Amino acid sequence: MQQGHPRHKQLNRARHEMAIHRRYMFAKKINKGMRSFVNGVRKVMHSVAYGMFNNSKTKPLKGKSEIKDIYSEMHKPKGLMQIVPPKFNQ
């Protein structure tokens, strides 16, 4: 004698798979949301740190600063150097 509907086992399995799928999709959305939240916080922290370091940089000098060319000084032959005497009557 037949017990219940013949498709009972198939329908029960389909309901079970759908419940598992819904649970999986819910967890996937939660994971995606948490990841985007962490990425957003990371971007905010990066921009705040970048702003702090940019504001704390020293301002360049207004006057012209003397920059020595170390390479050319090292490779200048000593015999060809010209010595210019200072001018006292100006």
Side-chain angles (χ1 to χ4, degrees), residues 17-51:
E17 285 180 3
M18 198 62 206
I20 289 175
H21 175 71
R22 280 195 302 263
R23 213 178 305 158
Y24 169 74
M25 292 309 288
F26 177 73
K28 189 175 174 182
K29 286 180 183 178
I30 293 292
N31 193 17
K32 186 177 179 183
M34 285 177 15
R35 188 180 306 130
S36 67
F37 173 76
V38 169
N39 285 342
V41 168
R42 187 167 33 110
K43 284 181 183 177
V44 167
M45 296 283 285
H46 176 73
S47 62
V48 166
Y50 183 76

